[in-house]
Amino acid sequence: MADFNVAEAEVLMLEIVDPDVKKQFEESAKAIKLVPQGKAKFTNSRGVRLVSQVEPNPGMAWFGEGEQYATANTSKKIAMRVFFTRYAIARSLTGDAIDTTSRESLLNALSSGIREDTDTAMKEFNRQFYGTGTGAIATVTSVSGTSVTFGSSGSNTTSYGARKILLRGEYNFINPSTGAIRVGSGTGVSVPSSRTLSTGVVVFDAVASDVAAGDLLVWKNSYNRSIHGLDYHVNNDTGSYQGQSRADYEALRAVVIDAAVSSVNQPLSVALLDRAELESVYRTGSEGSVDDLTIISSPTQVAAYKLLGYNLVRYDGPNAKFDAGLNVTSHNGHPWVVDVDCPNDAIYIIRKNTFGKFEVKPFGIMK
């Protein structure tokens, strides 16, 4: 074993940068980096408490001379709670690496692995940034023995669902109605051995006999333990939200426009994006200012947005440089962030300063 202790190795691993490893796959994490650190009162090591004003003071009235003032009242504030979840990524080393007598060899192995795993962890955070907290990675479309075809919600392509599934990982299939792990006659743990992104088909070592279309795939023992992402916050349902009821407090509901319903029933348009923007003005009381909005979408929606402008591209003749493409970086002056982890059938328009990340400790090496 190399002649140095773990404390020394930890310091060195944090400092060493290994630029030689070239990734042959996509592992960007854009959206999660947009969210600033949150500010709230820590209740204990389990979570934080947020205080929100959901109703203004209704104690007002116009009155004539000599008449009574309005009946006194107050604004209404509620306490919302955010609880922490726990996440770890673990790496193993071969005996040859551990038994080496070279300090440099062992440090290179450890530091390179830590860099890789940190990037992989950030990618997982970014993918869950769009979820509801279930930890869902993909949705089952059909099952045939140990071959499972995955799709995603709405109009997402099958390759989108299969793309998030990593070979050799340990997964559970979840019944979304009950939250129970599909076990059948086995252990309920499935390990993928191959996948075909063009069809969305993944072959596992074993698949429980009761797995059905609509089931969710999650990391082993991870169901309902993930971070709460945009699909949880940007929602207009009437369920529970951070310990409060959206049915009781409509102010907790976000602006959501479903372009597929009969009342809207239209493809992406400039008018549809403007409608979402202007409805947020009514909802948030921003006094007409929408300068701080940021748009997030997948490349699919960027392509749809480009279709609106191709007929407007002008070619100025043979002496001009011909470029019929369009560079989408904003809409109405709002930055447009393209993220491959964003669902293909959604566009989010958010105010970054209304979101916050809360951490007990920054992600890093666990001693």
Side-chain angles (χ1 to χ4, degrees):
M1 184 70 181
D3 56 341
F4 60 93
N5 58 44
V6 175
E8 180 185 1
E10 181 181 351
V11 173
L12 293 173
M13 284 186 287
L14 290 171
E15 294 178 350
I16 289 178
V17 176
D18 185 353
D20 299 327
V21 177
K22 302 295 189 296
K23 283 193 174 72
Q24 301 301 319
F25 51 90
E26 179 277 322
E27 205 168 54
S28 61
K30 285 187 175 181
I32 191 71
K33 297 177 181 178
L34 296 175
V35 179
Q37 292 295 327
K39 296 179 180 179
K41 182 177 180 60
F42 280 68
T43 55
N44 49 44
S45 61
R46 293 184 56 204
V48 299
R49 183 169 63 92
L50 306 170
V51 178
S52 297
Q53 181 178 334
V54 293
E55 295 177 7
N57 180 8
M60 63 182 79
W62 299 98
F63 62 96
E65 184 178 355
E67 295 180 358
Q68 292 183 341
Y69 288 106
T71 303
N73 212 316
T74 64
S75 60
K76 187 163 189 176
K77 298 180 179 66
I78 57 174
M80 297 189 294
R81 286 176 171 79
V82 178
F83 295 99
F84 294 116
T85 187
R86 296 164 183 82
Y87 169 87
I89 180 170
R91 170 177 287 257
S92 61
L93 292 175
T94 65
D96 290 343
I98 295 174
D99 294 335
T100 180
T101 57
S102 167
R103 294 163 55 100
E104 289 75 17
S105 297
L106 182 56
L107 277 174
N108 285 338
L110 291 172
S111 62
S112 176
I114 289 170
R115 281 181 50 81
E116 293 174 12
D117 290 349
T118 300
D119 288 343
T120 300
M122 290 304 300
K123 184 63 175 177
E124 174 65 12
F125 295 162
N126 197 71
R127 286 172 170 171
Q128 294 300 330
F129 179 72
Y130 298 99
T132 60
T134 63
I137 294 170
T139 305
V140 176
T141 300
S142 61
V143 186
S144 177
T146 57
S147 297
V148 183
T149 302
F150 291 93
S152 297
S153 61
S155 60
N156 284 334
T157 60
T158 53
S159 59
Y160 176 85
R163 181 171 60 84
K164 296 183 176 183
I165 301 170
L166 304 184
L167 301 181
R168 299 177 290 116
E170 295 185 324
Y171 296 92
N172 294 143
F173 287 92
I174 301 294
N175 179 347
S177 300
T178 63
I181 298 174
R182 299 286 196 183
V183 176
S185 58
T187 63
V189 178
S190 298
V191 179
S193 57
S194 68
R195 65 179 186 176
T196 306
L197 296 183
S198 59
T199 62
V201 175
V202 179
V203 178
F204 292 85
D205 63 336
V207 174
S209 57
D210 52 350
V211 171
D215 282 2
L216 305 177
L217 188 76
V218 303
W219 292 105
K220 184 178 73 172
N221 298 329
S222 297
Y223 181 65
N224 264 351
R225 293 177 173 177
S226 179
I227 59 175
H228 287 90
L230 290 184
D231 209 26
Y232 174 79
H233 298 288
V234 185
N235 198 309
N236 64 347
D237 67 8
T238 56
S240 176
Y241 177 67
Q242 295 184 157
Q244 297 291 343
S245 170
R246 279 177 162 146
D248 295 337
Y249 305 111
E250 190 173 357
L252 299 180
R253 302 182 201 175
V255 173
V256 177
I257 300 175
D258 187 348
V261 299
S262 57
S263 59
V264 181
N265 192 26
Q266 61 174 289
L268 179 65
S269 66
V270 172
L272 203 58
L273 285 174
D274 287 347
R275 173 182 167 182
E277 177 183 305
L278 294 174
E279 283 193 20
S280 72
V281 174
Y282 278 100
R283 184 66 60 86
T284 60
S286 58
E287 299 179 355
S289 174
V290 289
D291 296 339
D292 58 344
L293 294 179
T294 298
I295 301 172
I296 307 174
S297 82
S298 71
T300 300
Q301 294 299 330
V302 172
Y305 188 76
K306 284 185 175 185
L307 287 174
L308 305 176
Y310 282 137
N311 292 334
L312 304 177
V313 175
R314 178 179 176 179
Y315 176 48
D316 291 331
N319 295 325
K321 180 180 178 181
F322 179 70
D323 185 351
L326 296 172
N327 187 17
V328 176
T329 58
S330 64
H331 171 77
N332 281 347
H334 311 312
W336 192 314
V337 177
V338 181
D339 189 352
V340 296
D341 292 322
C342 184
N344 290 344
D345 59 352
I347 295 178
Y348 292 98
I349 305 177
I350 69 170
R351 282 189 168 86
K352 293 185 294 183
N353 60 3
T354 63
F355 289 86
K357 292 181 291 191
F358 301 100
E359 299 176 329
V360 175
K361 59 175 291 187
F363 182 70
I365 299 172
M366 180 182 294
K367 294 185 180 180

